Amino acid sequence: MAEGAEVLLDYDISQPTEHRDERGCLVELLKGDELSGEKKILGQIYFVTFEKLRVIRGNHYHIKKEEWFIVAQGRLHVELQDVDTREHVSLVLDSKRDGYVRLRIGKKIAHAFMNISPTATMVNYASQSYHQTDPDTFPYVLIKR
């Protein structure tokens, strides 16, 4: 990409609402009133662990669903690429340095995560549930194993 070119990938990073007291922290991953239209239907919430350094997850994209991620613990190297335009972004999400930030990934944005800490945990919301008969998951290698 040319220097100074605007990147138009369908993703964003935002600060979720965080409630902290002497017991710890509660972070609001995503609230229904932040969603509209077809996104308002509950999809699927899950968490993902990275048990070793350099574990890679993702390396795919979706056509029908969007996803929201928060790194709850650890550091992850993230690669994103628009499968149509080939626009590309590299990020590092670090739960200690950045606090809890929310990464939204739009449809047809390939994504891959690599653990760059001893272990990591990520919480995810997908706008649609996973169905084995129609997984809406298409391989797209951004980080080689």
Side-chain angles (χ1 to χ4, degrees):
M1 182 178 344
E3 186 175 332
E6 183 178 354
V7 176
L8 300 174
L9 287 173
D10 186 12
Y11 83 98
D12 60 67
I13 294 178
S14 59
Q15 285 297 144
T17 302
E18 183 177 320
H19 307 276
R20 186 174 291 278
D21 63 22
E22 69 280 353
R23 299 169 296 169
C25 184
L26 182 148
V27 178
E28 297 177 2
L29 172 64
L30 191 62
K31 294 171 67 173
D33 58 2
E34 294 178 286
L35 302 174
S36 62
E38 67 181 35
K39 295 178 191 175
K40 194 131 180 121
I41 299 168
L42 177 65
Q44 182 174 0
I45 300 169
Y46 54 94
F47 71 91
V48 179
T49 63
F50 297 77
E51 302 292 330
K52 297 177 189 171
L53 185 65
R54 303 190 62 75
V55 166
I56 299 167
R57 291 190 173 268
N59 273 333
H60 61 247
Y61 67 94
H62 309 286
I63 293 175
K64 299 177 188 173
K65 64 182 143 197
E66 293 185 58
E67 295 182 288
W68 288 257
F69 298 91
I70 288 181
V71 177
Q73 175 266 325
R75 294 178 72 219
L76 296 177
H77 170 83
V78 183
E79 295 288 331
L80 305 173
Q81 186 167 23
D82 186 302
V83 299
D84 292 329
T85 68
R86 302 291 191 255
E87 290 177 287
H88 182 262
V89 171
S90 295
L91 309 165
V92 172
L93 299 179
D94 184 331
S95 64
K96 286 187 181 177
R97 181 195 69 204
D98 304 328
Y100 300 108
V101 295
R102 179 175 56 201
L103 169 63
R104 182 193 60 83
I105 299 174
K107 299 171 184 173
K108 296 179 80 177
I109 302 297
H111 47 283
F113 302 89
M114 182 174 65
N115 184 27
I116 54 176
S117 56
T119 63
T121 303
M122 181 170 62
V123 180
N124 174 258
Y125 169 73
S127 62
Q128 293 185 354
S129 297
Y130 176 83
H131 298 286
Q132 195 166 8
T133 57
D134 182 15
D136 186 39
T137 301
F138 302 91
Y140 195 100
V141 177
L142 291 169
I143 302 175
K144 294 188 186 335
R145 300 189 188 279

